[in-house]
Amino acid sequence: MTEAATEPQRPGRSMTPLVLRGLLFLILGLFVLYYLFPLFVMIVTSLKPLAEIRQGSLLGLPQAVEFTHWETAWNSTCMGVTCVGLKPYFLNSVKLVVPAVFISTLLGAINGYALSKWRFRGSNIIFGLMLFGCFIPFQAVLLPMAIALGRMGLAGGTTGLVLVHVVYGLGFTTLFFRNYYVSIPDELVKAAKIDGAGFFTIFTHIILPLSAPVIVVTVIWQFTNIWNDFLFGVSFSQGGGQPVTVALNNIVNSTTGVKEYNVDMAAAIIAAAPTLLVYVVAGKYFIRGLTAGSVKG
Amino acid sequence: MPVLEAKRLCKSFGSVEVLTDIDIAIDDGEFLVLVGPSGCGKSTLLNIIAGLEEESSGDVLIDDRVVNLVAPKDRDIAMVFQSYALYPTMTVAKNITFGMQVRKVPKPEREAALARVAKLLDIAHLLKRKPSQLSGGQRQRVAMGRALVRKPRIFLFDEPLSNLDAKLRVQMRGEIKQLHQRLATTIVYVTHDQTEAMSLATKIAVMSGGRIAQLGPPQELYDRPNCLFVADFIGSPAMNFIEGTIAIRKGVPLFVAQHETSEIALPLDHYEFAKGAAEGRSVTLGVRPEYVTGAGTANKGPRTIRFELAPAIMESNGFDQHVSFDFCGGRLAGRFAARETLAIGTPIDVHMDLSMISLFDTESEERL
Ligand SMILES: Nc1ncnc2c1ncn2[C@@H]1O[C@H](COP(=O)(O)OP(=O)(O)O)[C@@H](O)[C@H]1O
Ligand SMILES: [Mg+2]
């Protein structure tokens, strides 16, 4: 053993890891290309005039770069007879996502706090049921949700859609926060109780200030899911109140006559931009938050 | 009138009983130490006194008032935790004043209290730091400060020194003792370290398996342990135990044991039996190492017996030597003067002073 370790390394031996490493990067590179390829095609296509798209190859770089399709997609492209572009629907999504993410994250934090630091008889059962909620497929809740929204008089409006997303997201947000809070020492809460703090004072003064990593994770998760949602959007909203994903689908599907690939591509990129942006900006916090462990005193 | 009382306190987690019939009463200004091996229920008992854990049955009384249903914040207590439990996102100053802030104490009063505690514990230069920027000893001080800033009826400490290194632990122990003498407050203090218990307490409760094995002043526990467990737990180096039987010859009770081929009979006429000496009973005799000495040690009482034994193990700490002998099928440890020249295997005179022995029933492990 010691003999072998001190022996000068033979070339054949030291080459093996290098070759393996090269192979690894080759495979990774292929995957990167595979994933980047559609994005590349989308961006290139969105900048080409229609004529060029029809003649040229899918991969060719645009000869004449035109940003006008982006403007068309944003301001004036048509779905059916209305030609207002993606803009109002994009704003719909913003108005939907912001409150839905905020409320579901806040409620998840309070739930997680209560379920980890104020255990009560049956709290584990409640947590189990909430977890179960995470695994119910969208399709299964469509009909009951529609009936419930109808009874509450919230059918077809943004408020109703916010409610749907909050309820559906609560299982996940509770799970995230509860698992994070379990790693915060109970003695912190005990000390605060003796100091005279109650449920919400402890939450706002002790627990929330420690929650930045898990808040980032939850917000990214919820934002991505709600922004990208199509099924709830198409089921529970109508007309001018639809979110951007539904609008995108309508635009792509309803172009009569010439198919404007460049505009469609621009619209698709606009619709996907916020989630991409969130990952680029906060992605590293996402990874960090997922692995964040206990709190050091 | 006792400040704090526990009456027939029991606690179960599910089907596991962790505390059984705990009875405690302490007076104003007393320093009660709950001591026992890890897992014997000390923290649970302290948490129940604090109101952080609910008792399964029995009562907790503070100033003669049953407080079972009183919230921790209204029990007029302060607590120092083993992990210190400092609020990680707050500065030291905020950590200490958080309780007063929650209780809406006016700002000038808070600042005055903070200044008083900072001076008392010598942490004024740390007030602006976060807990993560403090050393272990400094965190410990801050944790103490958070308790001392209010003037509660009772202080509760849960192993506050166990995360410190040995030297700091002894220093902080001295400071806690001094604080207690100066502030004359009532303290309940949990530790698994019997040295800490002996040096701090005015009263010790030795716990074992969720029960209080013995409750009393440190000296009483040391001199008259009421069971084998307490005898073994208190004192370092530990008490020697010798197995034997009781015999009565010519009206004098004797402790009889077999050493190698000969019989050893130790007179017990001075021993105060709780229920009289029963002949033929199997007993365990306990004698502390400081009563097993050499020729050079002066203070030998009239009840000293001499043996000739050869040292088997010797350890010196500079002040004295701890010497072990093979005796009656077990080990007998004694303390010899540092300057006595001893050699392994060379027989010497060993003097055993019987005036402070303890006798236990081998089967029930109770004191006789
Ligand atoms: N919340 C709990 N649930 C179940 N068992 C517990 C709980 N807290 C403590 N115990 C058990 O009670 C016993 C006493 O614990 P504890 O009071 O912490 O001991 P000590 O402080 O003396 O080391 C241990 O066996 C421990 O496993
Ligand atoms: Mg403990």
Side-chain angles (χ1 to χ4, degrees):
Chain A
M1 167 68 213
T2 48
E3 188 90 338
T6 50
E7 215 177 0
Q9 297 211 322
R10 271 170 285 140
R13 233 200 218 167
S14 58
M15 283 301 286
T16 320
L18 216 69
V19 169
L20 281 178
R21 179 161 290 227
L23 205 67
L24 176 71
F25 277 109
L26 188 73
I27 293 171
L28 285 177
L30 283 176
F31 272 106
V32 169
L33 285 182
Y34 181 76
Y35 277 100
L36 280 182
F37 183 68
L39 184 66
F40 174 75
V41 171
M42 282 172 77
I43 293 175
V44 170
T45 309
S46 74
L47 297 174
K48 285 178 190 170
L50 258 187
E52 202 182 307
I53 296 174
R54 278 200 220 96
Q55 309 155 355
S57 77
L58 212 55
L59 284 174
L61 288 173
Q63 263 117 47
V65 175
E66 285 183 355
F67 286 100
T68 48
H69 321 301
W70 285 70
E71 215 199 307
T72 311
W74 183 247
N75 279 325
S76 59
T77 188
C78 304
M79 40 193 282
V81 289
T82 48
C83 292
V84 289
L86 215 51
K87 187 167 128 188
Y89 303 99
F90 191 93
L91 292 181
N92 283 346
S93 274
V94 172
K95 280 187 232 158
L96 161 73
V97 167
V98 170
V101 168
F102 179 78
I103 296 171
S104 61
T105 303
L106 183 68
L107 289 181
I110 295 175
N111 282 347
Y113 164 60
L115 290 173
S116 60
K117 295 289 173 248
W118 296 74
R119 301 257 170 102
F120 47 91
R121 201 174 288 273
S123 59
N124 276 337
I125 294 173
I126 291 185
F127 180 58
L129 289 175
M130 297 198 83
L131 263 189
F132 186 62
C134 297
F135 299 108
I136 298 178
F138 276 37
Q139 293 79 352
V141 298
L142 281 183
L143 209 56
M145 198 74 98
I147 295 170
L149 286 179
R151 295 251 167 94
M152 287 187 281
L154 293 174
T158 307
T159 316
L161 205 48
V162 168
L163 180 70
V164 171
H165 281 298
V166 167
V167 169
Y168 199 82
L170 215 49
F172 291 96
T173 58
T174 302
L175 171 70
F176 289 159
F177 279 98
R178 188 259 182 199
N179 284 0
Y180 181 77
Y181 288 157
V182 161
S183 73
I184 294 180
D186 287 347
E187 290 195 342
L188 232 44
V189 175
K190 288 184 180 174
K193 278 185 196 170
I194 287 180
D195 265 343
F199 184 89
F200 281 107
T201 311
I202 296 176
F203 181 62
T204 54
H205 285 71
I206 314 283
I207 301 294
L208 263 192
L210 289 170
S211 308
V214 68
I215 290 177
V216 172
V217 169
T218 311
V219 165
I220 291 180
W221 174 268
Q222 283 297 86
F223 183 91
T224 313
N225 276 321
I226 300 175
W227 184 276
N228 288 344
D229 163 70
F230 178 79
L231 190 58
F232 283 157
V234 80
S235 311
F236 301 129
S237 65
Q238 40 190 241
Q242 288 170 329
V244 72
T245 44
V246 178
L248 178 66
N249 176 64
N250 292 347
I251 286 169
V252 174
N253 283 339
S254 75
T255 322
T256 45
V258 202
K259 247 211 178 322
E260 294 180 293
Y261 288 112
N262 44 15
V263 174
D264 290 352
M265 291 298 178
I269 295 173
I270 291 173
T275 41
L276 280 176
L277 190 74
V278 163
Y279 268 109
V280 170
V281 172
K284 77 175 176 206
Y285 298 103
F286 187 73
I287 307 288
R288 216 180 278 167
L290 279 181
T291 55
S294 68
V295 183
K296 297 207 177 68
Chain B
M1 185 184 88
V3 173
L4 173 70
E5 254 182 298
K7 284 188 179 162
R8 302 190 61 82
L9 213 54
C10 297
K11 173 70 179 174
S12 306
F13 289 111
S15 60
V16 186
E17 189 160 43
V18 289
L19 291 178
T20 312
D21 283 341
I22 301 289
D23 279 295
I24 285 176
I26 54 172
D27 291 326
D28 202 10
E30 269 198 290
F31 197 131
L32 171 72
V33 175
L34 304 174
V35 67
S38 181
C40 70
K42 308 178 297 286
S43 297
T44 306
L45 176 55
L46 203 67
N47 279 327
I48 290 175
I49 293 171
L52 295 168
E53 217 48 277
E54 209 178 314
E55 59 285 315
S56 304
S57 67
D59 292 317
V60 177
L61 290 83
I62 294 177
D63 282 330
D64 268 351
R65 185 172 67 112
V66 176
V67 293
N68 293 12
L69 299 175
V70 177
K73 68 183 166 75
D74 299 321
R75 291 194 181 191
D76 203 8
I77 50 157
M79 188 156 170
V80 177
F81 295 88
Q82 182 171 7
S83 64
Y84 310 142
L86 301 177
Y87 310 127
T89 55
M90 297 184 195
T91 62
V92 167
K94 274 295 292 262
N95 259 286
I96 294 175
T97 54
F98 180 68
M100 286 186 290
Q101 191 194 332
V102 169
R103 288 164 207 265
K104 307 216 160 47
V105 174
K107 194 155 188 223
E109 211 172 303
R110 288 201 313 247
E111 309 224 304
L114 176 63
R116 172 177 64 85
V117 167
K119 183 151 173 280
L120 186 69
L121 294 171
D122 197 18
I123 50 172
H125 58 296
L126 304 175
L127 294 181
K128 288 199 178 67
R129 295 204 201 160
K130 292 271 178 69
S132 56
Q133 299 164 309
L134 301 177
S135 71
Q138 290 169 334
R139 284 181 205 185
Q140 211 281 332
R141 275 169 194 277
V142 176
M144 297 265 298
R146 193 167 61 184
L148 286 169
V149 74
R150 304 190 347 245
K151 290 182 172 148
R153 196 80 177 94
I154 305 166
F155 284 100
L156 307 174
F157 292 89
D158 193 352
E159 309 219 15
L161 305 182
S162 62
N163 289 333
L164 301 180
D165 61 63
K167 190 158 182 204
L168 205 50
R169 189 151 59 215
V170 174
Q171 185 196 333
M172 282 311 295
R173 192 171 80 196
E175 290 191 27
I176 290 176
K177 181 101 189 165
Q178 204 180 357
L179 274 175
H180 174 246
Q181 282 159 355
R182 192 152 58 165
L183 305 176
T185 48
T186 311
I187 295 178
V188 181
Y189 185 106
V190 164
T191 179
H192 63 264
D193 177 355
Q194 63 89 22
T195 320
E196 215 167 284
M198 289 298 287
S199 60
L200 286 171
T202 61
K203 213 179 205 178
I204 295 182
V206 179
M207 293 180 62
S208 161
R211 290 172 188 275
I212 292 186
Q214 191 170 2
L215 173 67
Q219 200 62 51
E220 184 184 312
L221 267 65
Y222 191 82
D223 292 339
R224 296 179 52 84
N226 65 4
C227 61
L228 263 179
F229 178 81
V230 176
D232 191 33
F233 192 84
I234 298 287
S236 173
M239 188 184 264
N240 295 298
F241 296 111
I242 306 161
E243 305 291 334
T245 49
I246 299 259
I248 297 179
R249 291 176 196 162
K250 296 179 197 148
V252 177
L254 299 171
F255 172 84
V256 181
Q258 192 73 23
H259 177 61
E260 288 165 5
T261 52
S262 53
E263 185 197 79
I264 285 179
L266 306 176
L268 299 173
D269 50 332
H270 67 291
Y271 188 80
E272 291 168 23
F273 285 92
K275 296 188 203 91
E279 182 157 24
R281 175 180 258 169
S282 295
V283 295
T284 304
L285 180 141
V287 58
R288 294 208 177 271
E290 55 269 34
Y291 294 102
V292 178
T293 55
T297 313
N299 54 347
K300 282 186 276 291
R303 311 217 166 264
T304 302
I305 306 275
R306 193 182 59 80
F307 302 101
E308 196 159 287
L309 298 170
I313 304 172
M314 301 188 308
E315 297 167 43
S316 175
N317 61 11
F319 168 71
D320 60 5
Q321 309 184 67
H322 297 179
V323 185
S324 293
F325 308 91
D326 290 318
F327 186 66
C328 294
R331 273 279 155 80
L332 179 73
R335 301 178 72 159
F336 287 66
R339 269 162 295 280
E340 262 180 271
T341 42
L342 308 170
I344 303 263
T346 311
I348 50 161
D349 274 356
V350 176
H351 300 260
M352 185 189 291
D353 183 347
L354 298 178
S355 58
M356 294 300 287
I357 56 162
S358 297
L359 284 174
F360 305 97
D361 186 305
T362 304
E363 204 169 305
S364 72
E365 306 197 342
E366 299 288 319
R367 185 183 185 87
L368 293 172

